[in-house]
Amino acid sequence: MTIYTNPNCKKVRGSHILAVSCAHCKTFIAHYQKVGESNFVKMYNDRIIEGAMDFSKYHGAIFCPNCNERIATRYVTKMDKKEAYRLVPSAFNKRKV
């Protein structure tokens, strides 16, 4: 499996890195910079460091490359008009790196 780096990624101060994987088959999905200790509900496109799919291209949703389960759906946030992925609660696992 190839790992794609995200060209839109920006370093965020005070963040910690999460490894996101599929809950069904445990396949790696992405490394993400999480800020704060709140719940992990969405992933902003500019905080994704690298992933199993190319995040520079437009994707309507994130699917697992192994089992084709839907992990997240793409949308634009209301407050700051940024592109993000809304995660399906039972479709992913996360751990600190």
Side-chain angles (χ1 to χ4, degrees), residues 11-30:
K11 286 276 191 186
V12 180
R13 256 183 42 180
S15 65
H16 54 275
I17 297 174
L18 296 178
V20 181
S21 61
C22 177
H24 302 284
C25 64
K26 309 295 188 259
T27 305
F28 170 76
I29 303 296

Side-chain angles (χ1 to χ4, degrees), residues 8-67:
N8 304 325
C9 179
K10 297 179 179 122
K11 286 276 191 186
V12 180
R13 256 183 42 180
S15 65
H16 54 275
I17 297 174
L18 296 178
V20 181
S21 61
C22 177
H24 302 284
C25 64
K26 309 295 188 259
T27 305
F28 170 76
I29 303 296
H31 281 133
Y32 180 73
Q33 298 179 78
K34 175 79 170 89
V35 178
E37 296 298 322
S38 61
N39 292 339
F40 188 47
V41 179
K42 59 188 166 194
M43 291 195 309
Y44 288 104
N45 194 22
D46 58 348
R47 291 188 193 169
I48 299 171
I49 300 168
E50 59 188 12
M53 56 191 286
D54 192 4
F55 289 100
S56 63
K57 299 176 183 170
Y58 179 78
H59 301 285
I62 297 176
F63 290 95
C64 176
N66 191 21
C67 65

